[in-house]
Amino acid sequence: MTLRPFRLASALALLIAITVHAEDEITAEDLILRMIDQSRGLSSYSEMSMTINRPQWQRTSAFAVWTRGREDALIRFTAPAKDAGNATLKVGSNMWTYSPKIRRAIRLPKSMMSQEWAGSDFSYNDLARSDKLFVHYEHEIVDSFEEDGITTYTIESRPKESAPVVWGMEKLVFRSDNVVLEQTYYDQELQPVKSMRAFEIQELGGRMLAKRMRMFNVDEPDTWTEVSYEHVAFDIDIDDRQFTQFALRGE
Protein backbone atom coordinates (compact mmCIF):
# COMPACT_ATOMS: atom_id res chain seq x y z
CA MET A 1 0.00 0.00 0.00
CA THR A 2 1.30 3.47 -0.90
CA LEU A 3 1.09 6.09 1.85
CA ARG A 4 0.85 9.61 0.45
CA PRO A 5 1.16 12.94 2.35
CA PHE A 6 -2.19 14.19 3.59
CA ARG A 7 -3.54 17.51 2.30
CA LEU A 8 -2.28 20.49 4.31
CA ALA A 9 -5.83 21.67 4.99
CA SER A 10 -6.76 18.34 6.52
CA ALA A 11 -3.63 18.27 8.65
CA LEU A 12 -4.41 21.72 9.97
CA ALA A 13 -7.91 20.61 10.99
CA LEU A 14 -6.53 18.49 13.80
CA LEU A 15 -4.35 21.37 15.05
CA ILE A 16 -7.39 23.65 15.12
CA ALA A 17 -9.45 21.03 16.97
CA ILE A 18 -6.71 20.59 19.55
CA THR A 19 -6.18 24.31 20.21
CA VAL A 20 -9.74 25.63 19.88
CA HIS A 21 -10.21 25.80 23.64
CA ALA A 22 -6.71 27.02 24.42
CA GLU A 23 -7.94 30.32 25.84
CA ASP A 24 -10.94 28.82 27.62
CA GLU A 25 -11.14 26.81 30.79
CA ILE A 26 -10.09 23.26 30.07
CA THR A 27 -12.65 20.51 30.57
CA ALA A 28 -12.23 16.78 31.11
CA GLU A 29 -13.97 16.14 27.78
CA ASP A 30 -11.47 18.42 25.99
CA LEU A 31 -8.59 16.49 27.52
CA ILE A 32 -10.01 13.09 26.59
CA LEU A 33 -10.53 14.13 22.96
CA ARG A 34 -7.02 15.57 22.76
CA MET A 35 -5.61 12.34 24.14
CA ILE A 36 -7.49 10.26 21.53
CA ASP A 37 -6.48 12.54 18.65
CA GLN A 38 -2.85 12.54 19.80
CA SER A 39 -2.55 8.78 19.26
CA ARG A 40 -4.73 8.52 16.11
CA GLY A 41 -4.54 11.80 14.22
CA LEU A 42 -6.87 12.14 11.25
CA SER A 43 -5.41 8.83 10.13
CA SER A 44 -2.41 6.71 11.09
CA TYR A 45 -0.33 3.70 10.21
CA SER A 46 1.85 1.95 12.78
CA GLU A 47 3.95 -1.17 13.10
CA MET A 48 4.09 -2.60 16.60
CA SER A 49 5.54 -5.50 18.56
CA MET A 50 3.73 -7.22 21.41
CA THR A 51 5.17 -9.36 24.20
CA ILE A 52 2.81 -11.39 26.37
CA ASN A 53 4.38 -12.47 29.67
CA ARG A 54 3.06 -15.14 32.01
CA PRO A 55 4.84 -16.73 35.00
CA GLN A 56 5.50 -19.91 32.99
CA TRP A 57 6.07 -18.55 29.48
CA GLN A 58 6.56 -15.54 27.21
CA ARG A 59 5.86 -14.96 23.51
CA THR A 60 6.35 -12.07 21.10
CA SER A 61 4.41 -11.12 17.98
CA ALA A 62 4.17 -8.21 15.55
CA PHE A 63 1.23 -6.46 13.93
CA ALA A 64 0.29 -3.43 11.85
CA VAL A 65 -2.48 -0.93 12.65
CA TRP A 66 -4.34 1.41 10.29
CA THR A 67 -6.73 4.00 11.76
CA ARG A 68 -9.15 6.53 10.27
CA GLY A 69 -10.89 9.21 12.31
CA ARG A 70 -11.84 8.30 15.87
CA GLU A 71 -13.66 5.03 15.15
CA ASP A 72 -12.28 2.97 12.27
CA ALA A 73 -9.26 0.68 12.59
CA LEU A 74 -7.72 -2.45 11.09
CA ILE A 75 -5.18 -4.56 13.00
CA ARG A 76 -3.29 -7.36 11.20
CA PHE A 77 -0.69 -9.73 12.61
CA THR A 78 2.54 -9.98 10.59
CA ALA A 79 4.56 -12.36 12.82
CA PRO A 80 5.11 -15.08 13.88
CA ALA A 81 4.27 -17.05 10.76
CA LYS A 82 1.54 -19.08 12.50
CA ASP A 83 -0.33 -15.86 13.39
CA ALA A 84 0.36 -13.83 10.23
CA GLY A 85 -2.82 -12.77 8.50
CA ASN A 86 -5.04 -12.92 11.57
CA ALA A 87 -6.85 -9.59 11.58
CA THR A 88 -9.53 -7.53 13.29
CA LEU A 89 -11.53 -4.71 11.67
CA LYS A 90 -13.68 -2.07 13.33
CA VAL A 91 -15.84 0.30 11.28
CA GLY A 92 -18.10 2.52 13.33
CA SER A 93 -19.70 0.30 15.97
CA ASN A 94 -19.23 -2.91 13.97
CA MET A 95 -16.29 -5.32 14.36
CA TRP A 96 -15.13 -8.42 12.51
CA THR A 97 -12.27 -10.87 12.97
CA TYR A 98 -10.59 -12.99 10.31
CA SER A 99 -8.41 -16.10 10.46
CA PRO A 100 -6.66 -17.46 7.34
CA LYS A 101 -7.07 -20.96 8.77
CA ILE A 102 -10.85 -20.90 8.39
CA ARG A 103 -10.94 -18.24 5.64
CA ARG A 104 -13.97 -16.57 7.16
CA ALA A 105 -14.75 -13.12 8.54
CA ILE A 106 -16.79 -13.38 11.72
CA ARG A 107 -18.77 -10.47 13.09
CA LEU A 108 -18.22 -9.94 16.80
CA PRO A 109 -20.63 -8.48 19.37
CA LYS A 110 -19.86 -5.03 20.73
CA SER A 111 -19.00 -6.50 24.11
CA MET A 112 -15.95 -8.20 22.58
CA MET A 113 -14.32 -4.82 21.92
CA SER A 114 -13.57 -4.51 25.64
CA GLN A 115 -12.43 -8.11 26.12
CA GLU A 116 -8.84 -9.37 26.09
CA TRP A 117 -7.54 -9.37 22.52
CA ALA A 118 -5.46 -12.17 20.97
CA GLY A 119 -4.61 -13.64 24.36
CA SER A 120 -3.09 -10.38 25.61
CA ASP A 121 -3.96 -8.09 28.51
CA PHE A 122 -4.98 -5.32 26.07
CA SER A 123 -8.47 -5.09 24.60
CA TYR A 124 -9.18 -4.25 20.97
CA ASN A 125 -10.30 -0.79 22.08
CA ASP A 126 -6.97 -0.27 23.86
CA LEU A 127 -4.86 -1.16 20.84
CA ALA A 128 -7.03 0.56 18.25
CA ARG A 129 -7.11 3.68 20.46
CA SER A 130 -10.85 4.00 19.84
CA ASP A 131 -13.13 6.79 21.04
CA LYS A 132 -15.23 4.52 23.29
CA LEU A 133 -13.90 6.30 26.38
CA PHE A 134 -15.30 9.62 25.16
CA VAL A 135 -18.58 8.20 23.85
CA HIS A 136 -19.60 5.88 26.69
CA TYR A 137 -18.20 7.62 29.80
CA GLU A 138 -18.64 10.80 31.79
CA HIS A 139 -15.43 12.46 32.92
CA GLU A 140 -14.19 14.50 35.84
CA ILE A 141 -10.80 16.07 36.56
CA VAL A 142 -9.99 14.97 40.10
CA ASP A 143 -6.38 16.18 40.38
CA SER A 144 -3.76 18.23 38.55
CA PHE A 145 -0.30 19.60 39.17
CA GLU A 146 2.28 21.52 37.17
CA GLU A 147 5.96 20.69 36.86
CA ASP A 148 8.51 22.13 34.41
CA GLY A 149 5.75 23.91 32.51
CA ILE A 150 3.71 20.74 31.93
CA THR A 151 0.42 20.09 33.73
CA THR A 152 -0.40 16.50 34.67
CA TYR A 153 -4.10 15.67 35.02
CA THR A 154 -5.91 12.79 36.69
CA ILE A 155 -9.35 12.07 35.25
CA GLU A 156 -11.94 9.62 36.52
CA SER A 157 -14.21 8.28 33.78
CA ARG A 158 -17.43 6.53 34.82
CA PRO A 159 -19.75 4.77 32.35
CA LYS A 160 -22.99 6.36 31.30
CA GLU A 161 -26.19 4.53 32.12
CA SER A 162 -26.63 1.43 29.91
CA ALA A 163 -23.21 1.96 28.30
CA PRO A 164 -21.93 -1.27 26.63
CA VAL A 165 -18.74 -1.42 28.74
CA VAL A 166 -17.38 -3.84 31.32
CA TRP A 167 -15.57 -1.42 33.63
CA GLY A 168 -17.06 0.42 36.60
CA MET A 169 -14.50 3.20 36.18
CA GLU A 170 -11.33 4.08 34.31
CA LYS A 171 -8.77 6.43 35.81
CA LEU A 172 -6.29 8.19 33.54
CA VAL A 173 -3.17 10.17 34.26
CA PHE A 174 -1.81 12.19 31.37
CA ARG A 175 0.10 15.35 30.59
CA SER A 176 -1.05 18.60 29.01
CA ASP A 177 0.89 17.61 25.87
CA ASN A 178 -1.60 14.69 25.63
CA VAL A 179 0.84 11.92 26.58
CA VAL A 180 -0.86 9.16 28.58
CA LEU A 181 1.22 8.12 31.60
CA GLU A 182 -1.12 5.64 33.25
CA GLN A 183 -4.60 4.16 32.80
CA THR A 184 -6.23 1.97 35.45
CA TYR A 185 -9.37 -0.12 34.98
CA TYR A 186 -11.79 -0.80 37.86
CA ASP A 187 -14.50 -3.43 38.22
CA GLN A 188 -18.11 -2.69 39.18
CA GLU A 189 -17.09 -2.64 42.86
CA LEU A 190 -14.50 0.03 41.96
CA GLN A 191 -11.59 -2.28 42.72
CA PRO A 192 -8.57 -1.96 40.39
CA VAL A 193 -8.20 -4.90 38.01
CA LYS A 194 -5.50 -3.93 35.54
CA SER A 195 -3.33 -0.92 34.83
CA MET A 196 -1.35 0.40 31.88
CA ARG A 197 1.95 2.23 32.37
CA ALA A 198 3.84 4.25 29.75
CA PHE A 199 7.61 4.18 29.19
CA GLU A 200 10.17 5.94 26.96
CA ILE A 201 8.19 9.07 26.14
CA GLN A 202 9.64 10.56 22.97
CA GLU A 203 8.77 12.08 19.61
CA LEU A 204 7.27 9.47 17.29
CA GLY A 205 5.75 10.33 13.94
CA GLY A 206 6.12 14.04 14.71
CA ARG A 207 4.30 14.00 18.06
CA MET A 208 5.03 13.03 21.65
CA LEU A 209 4.05 9.46 22.54
CA ALA A 210 5.11 6.64 24.82
CA LYS A 211 7.18 4.17 22.79
CA ARG A 212 6.30 1.31 25.18
CA MET A 213 3.05 0.61 27.03
CA ARG A 214 2.70 -2.21 29.54
CA MET A 215 -0.66 -3.54 30.73
CA PHE A 216 -0.46 -5.64 33.87
CA ASN A 217 -2.78 -7.47 36.23
CA VAL A 218 -2.99 -5.58 39.54
CA ASP A 219 -3.11 -8.78 41.62
CA GLU A 220 -0.56 -10.65 39.48
CA PRO A 221 2.25 -8.28 38.48
CA ASP A 222 4.04 -11.07 36.56
CA THR A 223 1.02 -11.26 34.24
CA TRP A 224 1.48 -8.47 31.70
CA THR A 225 1.53 -7.49 28.04
CA GLU A 226 3.80 -4.86 26.54
CA VAL A 227 3.33 -3.22 23.14
CA SER A 228 5.97 -1.08 21.50
CA TYR A 229 5.97 1.23 18.47
CA GLU A 230 8.47 0.19 15.82
CA HIS A 231 7.19 2.73 13.29
CA VAL A 232 4.32 5.22 13.18
CA ALA A 233 3.05 7.86 10.74
CA PHE A 234 0.13 10.25 11.20
CA ASP A 235 -2.23 12.21 8.95
CA ILE A 236 -1.55 10.12 5.88
CA ASP A 237 -3.80 9.31 2.94
CA ILE A 238 -5.18 5.77 3.39
CA ASP A 239 -7.50 4.34 0.77
CA ASP A 240 -11.05 3.79 2.08
CA ARG A 241 -10.75 0.21 0.84
CA GLN A 242 -8.37 -0.44 3.74
CA PHE A 243 -11.39 -0.42 6.06
CA THR A 244 -13.43 -3.09 4.27
CA GLN A 245 -13.77 -6.86 4.64
CA PHE A 246 -11.68 -7.28 1.49
CA ALA A 247 -8.76 -5.68 3.30
CA LEU A 248 -9.60 -7.63 6.46
CA ARG A 249 -9.06 -10.84 4.46
CA GLY A 250 -5.85 -9.46 2.94
CA GLU A 251 -7.30 -9.27 -0.57
Side-chain angles (χ1 to χ4, degrees):
M1 182 185 68
T2 301
L3 303 180
R4 302 185 299 276
F6 214 73
R7 292 193 307 249
L8 178 59
S10 297
L12 289 174
L14 176 61
L15 178 62
I16 293 171
I18 289 176
T19 58
V20 66
H21 297 298
E23 297 180 358
D24 300 328
E25 182 179 356
I26 196 74
T27 68
E29 288 75 18
D30 290 330
L31 292 170
I32 293 294
L33 281 178
R34 293 183 187 187
M35 178 196 71
I36 294 169
D37 290 338
Q38 180 82 347
S39 61
R40 289 180 65 101
L42 296 170
S43 61
S44 73
Y45 170 74
S46 57
E47 296 169 2
M48 309 186 77
S49 62
M50 178 170 71
T51 299
I52 301 175
N53 187 82
R54 299 295 181 261
Q56 294 79 27
W57 54 267
Q58 185 180 100
R59 70 169 182 261
T60 299
S61 57
F63 56 91
V65 183
W66 294 260
T67 73
R68 177 180 62 183
R70 292 174 176 159
E71 294 188 334
D72 303 340
L74 172 66
I75 301 177
R76 175 177 292 115
F77 276 97
T78 55
K82 67 182 182 66
D83 294 329
N86 289 338
T88 308
L89 171 69
K90 179 178 179 291
V91 179
S93 61
N94 299 314
M95 186 166 74
W96 298 264
T97 186
Y98 175 77
S99 170
K101 294 179 180 179
I102 62 174
R103 297 183 179 181
R104 285 183 56 202
I106 300 173
R107 186 168 179 174
L108 299 177
K110 294 180 182 179
S111 59
M112 291 296 293
M113 298 180 192
S114 298
Q115 303 299 315
E116 294 179 349
W117 178 79
S120 76
D121 299 289
F122 285 87
S123 71
Y124 178 85
N125 281 325
D126 296 328
L127 291 174
R129 308 181 296 279
S130 75
D131 66 345
K132 59 90 183 174
L133 188 66
F134 179 78
V135 173
H136 297 307
Y137 289 74
E138 295 178 341
H139 314 283
E140 180 184 3
I141 300 172
V142 296
D143 190 27
S144 66
F145 66 90
E146 186 172 337
E147 183 176 354
D148 298 328
I150 295 179
T151 303
T152 298
Y153 298 93
T154 299
I155 288 181
E156 289 184 354
S157 300
R158 299 174 185 265
K160 298 176 182 178
E161 187 174 353
S162 300
V165 298
V166 299
W167 304 114
M169 181 176 72
E170 296 185 30
K171 181 180 289 187
L172 297 98
V173 179
F174 56 95
R175 308 187 322 191
S176 53
D177 60 357
N178 311 314
V179 175
V180 180
L181 302 177
E182 183 176 345
Q183 186 167 359
T184 303
Y185 301 76
Y186 295 77
D187 62 19
Q188 297 299 323
E189 303 300 321
L190 300 185
Q191 296 300 310
V193 176
K194 66 177 186 175
S195 186
M196 188 278 293
R197 302 279 173 81
F199 303 93
E200 295 185 50
I201 295 169
Q202 57 189 261
E203 185 175 309
L204 297 168
R207 58 187 66 193
M208 297 302 292
L209 292 170
K211 179 176 174 59
R212 297 189 295 119
M213 294 154 284
R214 177 175 291 193
M215 187 80 74
F216 63 93
N217 188 305
V218 171
D219 294 329
E220 301 176 74
D222 289 336
T223 297
W224 52 263
T225 300
E226 184 169 293
V227 295
S228 177
Y229 283 106
E230 306 300 330
H231 168 77
V232 61
F234 293 99
D235 301 333
I236 53 178
D237 189 5
I238 301 177
D239 195 305
D240 288 343
R241 188 180 182 279
Q242 192 65 20
F243 303 96
T244 67
Q245 291 192 41
F246 290 105
L248 173 68
R249 295 190 293 266
E251 298 177 0

